[in-house]
Amino acid sequence: MHLLYLKHCRKAVIKPLLHIIKLFSLRRGKFYSFIKKVTGIIPGDISIYKQAFIHKSAMIKGKDRRFVNNERLEYLGDAMLGAIVANVLYNRFPNKNEGFLTKTRSRIVNRSLLNDIALKMGLGDWVNAQSKIDISQTSILGDALEALIGAVYVDKGYEVCEKFVLNQIVLEYVDLKQVAKKDSNYKSLLIEWGQKHKQSVHFITEEKHISEGAAPTFIARAAVEGEVIGQGEGFSKKEAQQNAARNTLKELRLREAK
């Protein structure tokens, strides 16, 4: 009886454990397949790709007990993306000046477009962030896309990274002609509006007080002639000001239409 009881206990413990291991292996396999599909390459060091999807708000510690996140890869990916897009535009628009190239590049690498591309690529299904955060309302997806670019560069080098950005991102999701025509720098547009109407425009930006461990956010208010007309939030001062400017422009257009 005693032996039968022990066997029963072993089965009771081992079966759920094997199920957990199976699920973990299945998810790991799916992640590998996802990276292969979304990048168009065969990953070498899969751990670097996993890190690309860890937002700092997740507060995950590595084997050395230090917090692990994708900020360093994001920094690297941002630089790679900027350089590759600059080269694309330089060759695509040989008769355009530096100002045009700079503005067009900024429209492609801005957080709004990167967030949209990351969403379409399905990156949101793999991002590891604090559960309280609604990543669709933040720059987390765009940051993860830049971190993924950084991961490809670390794993495969510049040439493969360039092909990934060109084939899987720019050619797949960016209409260069449309982007070249569109101006989505709302802060610049608002300042230009102020100059045109001879009215002063300034921004008041401050860090939002949030719970410990959560990612810092900023609130920006756009004032025209001293009157605060619109405000916006973001994970950086720049993003918050862009959102504030966009909301202010909407309000100003409504006022002008009356």
Side-chain angles (χ1 to χ4, degrees), residues 213-236:
T217 57
F218 296 86
I219 298 176
R221 297 175 181 84
V224 177
E225 288 293 298
E227 178 192 357
V228 174
I229 296 179
Q231 74 171 43
E233 292 189 23
F235 276 81
S236 67

PDB file of all heavy atoms in Angstrom, residues 213-236:
ATOM      1  N   GLY A 213       7.790  51.503  -9.381  1.00  0.00           N
ATOM      2  CA  GLY A 213       8.031  50.366 -10.259  1.00  0.00           C
ATOM      3  C   GLY A 213       7.449  50.519 -11.646  1.00  0.00           C
ATOM      4  O   GLY A 213       7.842  49.813 -12.562  1.00  0.00           O
ATOM      5  N   ALA A 214       6.490  51.462 -11.795  1.00  0.00           N
ATOM      6  CA  ALA A 214       5.887  51.672 -13.116  1.00  0.00           C
ATOM      7  C   ALA A 214       6.773  52.587 -13.952  1.00  0.00           C
ATOM      8  O   ALA A 214       7.580  53.349 -13.428  1.00  0.00           O
ATOM      9  CB  ALA A 214       4.500  52.283 -12.960  1.00  0.00           C
ATOM     10  N   ALA A 215       6.620  52.490 -15.263  1.00  0.00           N
ATOM     11  CA  ALA A 215       7.420  53.328 -16.161  1.00  0.00           C
ATOM     12  C   ALA A 215       7.012  54.787 -16.012  1.00  0.00           C
ATOM     13  O   ALA A 215       5.822  55.102 -15.893  1.00  0.00           O
ATOM     14  CB  ALA A 215       7.216  52.876 -17.605  1.00  0.00           C
ATOM     15  N   PRO A 216       7.962  55.725 -16.008  1.00  0.00           N
ATOM     16  CA  PRO A 216       7.632  57.139 -15.849  1.00  0.00           C
ATOM     17  C   PRO A 216       6.875  57.682 -17.060  1.00  0.00           C
ATOM     18  O   PRO A 216       7.126  57.277 -18.188  1.00  0.00           O
ATOM     19  CB  PRO A 216       9.005  57.811 -15.717  1.00  0.00           C
ATOM     20  CG  PRO A 216       9.941  56.873 -16.396  1.00  0.00           C
ATOM     21  CD  PRO A 216       9.404  55.501 -16.159  1.00  0.00           C
ATOM     22  N   THR A 217       5.929  58.556 -16.811  1.00  0.00           N
ATOM     23  CA  THR A 217       5.195  59.208 -17.888  1.00  0.00           C
ATOM     24  C   THR A 217       5.243  60.720 -17.687  1.00  0.00           C
ATOM     25  O   THR A 217       5.522  61.202 -16.588  1.00  0.00           O
ATOM     26  CB  THR A 217       3.721  58.761 -17.934  1.00  0.00           C
ATOM     27  OG1 THR A 217       3.111  59.022 -16.662  1.00  0.00           O
ATOM     28  CG2 THR A 217       3.610  57.284 -18.256  1.00  0.00           C
ATOM     29  N   PHE A 218       4.967  61.445 -18.755  1.00  0.00           N
ATOM     30  CA  PHE A 218       5.020  62.899 -18.709  1.00  0.00           C
ATOM     31  C   PHE A 218       3.700  63.497 -19.198  1.00  0.00           C
ATOM     32  O   PHE A 218       3.010  62.900 -20.023  1.00  0.00           O
ATOM     33  CB  PHE A 218       6.169  63.411 -19.586  1.00  0.00           C
ATOM     34  CG  PHE A 218       7.528  62.985 -19.113  1.00  0.00           C
ATOM     35  CD1 PHE A 218       8.068  61.767 -19.501  1.00  0.00           C
ATOM     36  CD2 PHE A 218       8.272  63.799 -18.261  1.00  0.00           C
ATOM     37  CE1 PHE A 218       9.321  61.360 -19.057  1.00  0.00           C
ATOM     38  CE2 PHE A 218       9.524  63.407 -17.806  1.00  0.00           C
ATOM     39  CZ  PHE A 218      10.042  62.186 -18.210  1.00  0.00           C
ATOM     40  N   ILE A 219       3.370  64.656 -18.649  1.00  0.00           N
ATOM     41  CA  ILE A 219       2.195  65.415 -19.080  1.00  0.00           C
ATOM     42  C   ILE A 219       2.681  66.735 -19.646  1.00  0.00           C
ATOM     43  O   ILE A 219       3.487  67.432 -19.020  1.00  0.00           O
ATOM     44  CB  ILE A 219       1.223  65.683 -17.910  1.00  0.00           C
ATOM     45  CG1 ILE A 219       0.696  64.369 -17.337  1.00  0.00           C
ATOM     46  CG2 ILE A 219       0.058  66.564 -18.372  1.00  0.00           C
ATOM     47  CD1 ILE A 219      -0.192  64.546 -16.129  1.00  0.00           C
ATOM     48  N   ALA A 220       2.192  67.076 -20.836  1.00  0.00           N
ATOM     49  CA  ALA A 220       2.551  68.354 -21.458  1.00  0.00           C
ATOM     50  C   ALA A 220       1.282  69.147 -21.731  1.00  0.00           C
ATOM     51  O   ALA A 220       0.258  68.576 -22.124  1.00  0.00           O
ATOM     52  CB  ALA A 220       3.325  68.126 -22.750  1.00  0.00           C
ATOM     53  N   ARG A 221       1.356  70.451 -21.514  1.00  0.00           N
ATOM     54  CA  ARG A 221       0.251  71.347 -21.818  1.00  0.00           C
ATOM     55  C   ARG A 221       0.725  72.381 -22.825  1.00  0.00           C
ATOM     56  O   ARG A 221       1.793  72.971 -22.634  1.00  0.00           O
ATOM     57  CB  ARG A 221      -0.263  72.019 -20.550  1.00  0.00           C
ATOM     58  CG  ARG A 221      -0.840  71.035 -19.522  1.00  0.00           C
ATOM     59  CD  ARG A 221      -1.220  71.720 -18.220  1.00  0.00           C
ATOM     60  NE  ARG A 221      -1.752  70.757 -17.259  1.00  0.00           N
ATOM     61  CZ  ARG A 221      -1.004  70.006 -16.455  1.00  0.00           C
ATOM     62  NH1 ARG A 221       0.325  70.137 -16.496  1.00  0.00           N
ATOM     63  NH2 ARG A 221      -1.553  69.161 -15.612  1.00  0.00           N
ATOM     64  N   ALA A 222      -0.052  72.573 -23.865  1.00  0.00           N
ATOM     65  CA  ALA A 222       0.296  73.557 -24.892  1.00  0.00           C
ATOM     66  C   ALA A 222      -0.518  74.827 -24.659  1.00  0.00           C
ATOM     67  O   ALA A 222      -1.751  74.777 -24.580  1.00  0.00           O
ATOM     68  CB  ALA A 222       0.016  72.994 -26.279  1.00  0.00           C
ATOM     69  N   ALA A 223       0.195  75.940 -24.525  1.00  0.00           N
ATOM     70  CA  ALA A 223      -0.471  77.221 -24.260  1.00  0.00           C
ATOM     71  C   ALA A 223      -0.289  78.165 -25.446  1.00  0.00           C
ATOM     72  O   ALA A 223       0.813  78.294 -25.981  1.00  0.00           O
ATOM     73  CB  ALA A 223       0.097  77.855 -22.997  1.00  0.00           C
ATOM     74  N   VAL A 224      -1.373  78.804 -25.840  1.00  0.00           N
ATOM     75  CA  VAL A 224      -1.346  79.801 -26.904  1.00  0.00           C
ATOM     76  C   VAL A 224      -1.742  81.143 -26.290  1.00  0.00           C
ATOM     77  O   VAL A 224      -2.828  81.271 -25.720  1.00  0.00           O
ATOM     78  CB  VAL A 224      -2.320  79.425 -28.046  1.00  0.00           C
ATOM     79  CG1 VAL A 224      -2.331  80.511 -29.114  1.00  0.00           C
ATOM     80  CG2 VAL A 224      -1.949  78.082 -28.646  1.00  0.00           C
ATOM     81  N   GLU A 225      -0.838  82.097 -26.377  1.00  0.00           N
ATOM     82  CA  GLU A 225      -1.059  83.424 -25.756  1.00  0.00           C
ATOM     83  C   GLU A 225      -1.374  83.275 -24.264  1.00  0.00           C
ATOM     84  O   GLU A 225      -2.223  83.977 -23.720  1.00  0.00           O
ATOM     85  CB  GLU A 225      -2.188  84.166 -26.470  1.00  0.00           C
ATOM     86  CG  GLU A 225      -1.829  84.672 -27.862  1.00  0.00           C
ATOM     87  CD  GLU A 225      -0.764  85.781 -27.819  1.00  0.00           C
ATOM     88  OE1 GLU A 225      -1.026  86.846 -27.224  1.00  0.00           O
ATOM     89  OE2 GLU A 225       0.326  85.558 -28.385  1.00  0.00           O
ATOM     90  N   GLY A 226      -0.699  82.316 -23.624  1.00  0.00           N
ATOM     91  CA  GLY A 226      -0.871  82.112 -22.190  1.00  0.00           C
ATOM     92  C   GLY A 226      -2.041  81.236 -21.803  1.00  0.00           C
ATOM     93  O   GLY A 226      -2.183  80.867 -20.641  1.00  0.00           O
ATOM     94  N   GLU A 227      -2.897  80.872 -22.775  1.00  0.00           N
ATOM     95  CA  GLU A 227      -4.071  80.042 -22.479  1.00  0.00           C
ATOM     96  C   GLU A 227      -3.757  78.580 -22.815  1.00  0.00           C
ATOM     97  O   GLU A 227      -3.403  78.252 -23.948  1.00  0.00           O
ATOM     98  CB  GLU A 227      -5.277  80.499 -23.305  1.00  0.00           C
ATOM     99  CG  GLU A 227      -6.512  79.630 -23.083  1.00  0.00           C
ATOM    100  CD  GLU A 227      -7.619  79.882 -24.096  1.00  0.00           C
ATOM    101  OE1 GLU A 227      -7.448  80.775 -24.957  1.00  0.00           O
ATOM    102  OE2 GLU A 227      -8.629  79.154 -24.044  1.00  0.00           O
ATOM    103  N   VAL A 228      -3.902  77.701 -21.827  1.00  0.00           N
ATOM    104  CA  VAL A 228      -3.696  76.267 -22.068  1.00  0.00           C
ATOM    105  C   VAL A 228      -4.890  75.737 -22.849  1.00  0.00           C
ATOM    106  O   VAL A 228      -6.020  75.776 -22.375  1.00  0.00           O
ATOM    107  CB  VAL A 228      -3.527  75.485 -20.751  1.00  0.00           C
ATOM    108  CG1 VAL A 228      -3.452  73.985 -21.033  1.00  0.00           C
ATOM    109  CG2 VAL A 228      -2.270  75.937 -20.013  1.00  0.00           C
ATOM    110  N   ILE A 229      -4.625  75.248 -24.046  1.00  0.00           N
ATOM    111  CA  ILE A 229      -5.700  74.799 -24.929  1.00  0.00           C
ATOM    112  C   ILE A 229      -5.767  73.275 -25.028  1.00  0.00           C
ATOM    113  O   ILE A 229      -6.836  72.692 -25.114  1.00  0.00           O
ATOM    114  CB  ILE A 229      -5.538  75.422 -26.333  1.00  0.00           C
ATOM    115  CG1 ILE A 229      -5.696  76.944 -26.225  1.00  0.00           C
ATOM    116  CG2 ILE A 229      -6.543  74.838 -27.311  1.00  0.00           C
ATOM    117  CD1 ILE A 229      -5.534  77.668 -27.533  1.00  0.00           C
ATOM    118  N   GLY A 230      -4.608  72.619 -25.035  1.00  0.00           N
ATOM    119  CA  GLY A 230      -4.599  71.160 -25.134  1.00  0.00           C
ATOM    120  C   GLY A 230      -3.493  70.546 -24.307  1.00  0.00           C
ATOM    121  O   GLY A 230      -2.505  71.209 -23.994  1.00  0.00           O
ATOM    122  N   GLN A 231      -3.677  69.288 -23.931  1.00  0.00           N
ATOM    123  CA  GLN A 231      -2.630  68.589 -23.198  1.00  0.00           C
ATOM    124  C   GLN A 231      -2.509  67.152 -23.697  1.00  0.00           C
ATOM    125  O   GLN A 231      -3.397  66.636 -24.374  1.00  0.00           O
ATOM    126  CB  GLN A 231      -2.887  68.600 -21.697  1.00  0.00           C
ATOM    127  CG  GLN A 231      -3.992  67.665 -21.195  1.00  0.00           C
ATOM    128  CD  GLN A 231      -4.015  67.592 -19.677  1.00  0.00           C
ATOM    129  OE1 GLN A 231      -3.894  68.603 -18.995  1.00  0.00           O
ATOM    130  NE2 GLN A 231      -4.179  66.395 -19.145  1.00  0.00           N
ATOM    131  N   GLY A 232      -1.383  66.527 -23.389  1.00  0.00           N
ATOM    132  CA  GLY A 232      -1.150  65.160 -23.819  1.00  0.00           C
ATOM    133  C   GLY A 232      -0.181  64.462 -22.888  1.00  0.00           C
ATOM    134  O   GLY A 232       0.548  65.109 -22.131  1.00  0.00           O
ATOM    135  N   GLU A 233      -0.192  63.139 -22.943  1.00  0.00           N
ATOM    136  CA  GLU A 233       0.707  62.332 -22.119  1.00  0.00           C
ATOM    137  C   GLU A 233       1.610  61.485 -23.006  1.00  0.00           C
ATOM    138  O   GLU A 233       1.307  61.225 -24.170  1.00  0.00           O
ATOM    139  CB  GLU A 233      -0.098  61.412 -21.191  1.00  0.00           C
ATOM    140  CG  GLU A 233      -0.870  62.151 -20.124  1.00  0.00           C
ATOM    141  CD  GLU A 233      -1.484  61.198 -19.097  1.00  0.00           C
ATOM    142  OE1 GLU A 233      -0.971  60.057 -18.965  1.00  0.00           O
ATOM    143  OE2 GLU A 233      -2.459  61.591 -18.440  1.00  0.00           O
ATOM    144  N   GLY A 234       2.729  61.044 -22.435  1.00  0.00           N
ATOM    145  CA  GLY A 234       3.646  60.191 -23.178  1.00  0.00           C
ATOM    146  C   GLY A 234       4.716  59.638 -22.271  1.00  0.00           C
ATOM    147  O   GLY A 234       4.892  60.104 -21.136  1.00  0.00           O
ATOM    148  N   PHE A 235       5.467  58.657 -22.777  1.00  0.00           N
ATOM    149  CA  PHE A 235       6.546  58.055 -22.005  1.00  0.00           C
ATOM    150  C   PHE A 235       7.851  58.829 -22.147  1.00  0.00           C
ATOM    151  O   PHE A 235       8.865  58.433 -21.618  1.00  0.00           O
ATOM    152  CB  PHE A 235       6.737  56.591 -22.411  1.00  0.00           C
ATOM    153  CG  PHE A 235       5.800  55.662 -21.690  1.00  0.00           C
ATOM    154  CD1 PHE A 235       4.494  55.511 -22.124  1.00  0.00           C
ATOM    155  CD2 PHE A 235       6.201  54.976 -20.570  1.00  0.00           C
ATOM    156  CE1 PHE A 235       3.625  54.666 -21.454  1.00  0.00           C
ATOM    157  CE2 PHE A 235       5.342  54.135 -19.888  1.00  0.00           C
ATOM    158  CZ  PHE A 235       4.045  53.979 -20.336  1.00  0.00           C
ATOM    159  N   SER A 236       7.786  59.935 -22.890  1.00  0.00           N
ATOM    160  CA  SER A 236       8.919  60.853 -22.986  1.00  0.00           C
ATOM    161  C   SER A 236       8.346  62.255 -23.092  1.00  0.00           C
ATOM    162  O   SER A 236       7.170  62.442 -23.442  1.00  0.00           O
ATOM    163  CB  SER A 236       9.779  60.543 -24.214  1.00  0.00           C
ATOM    164  OG  SER A 236       9.066  60.822 -25.408  1.00  0.00           O
TER     165      SER A 236
END
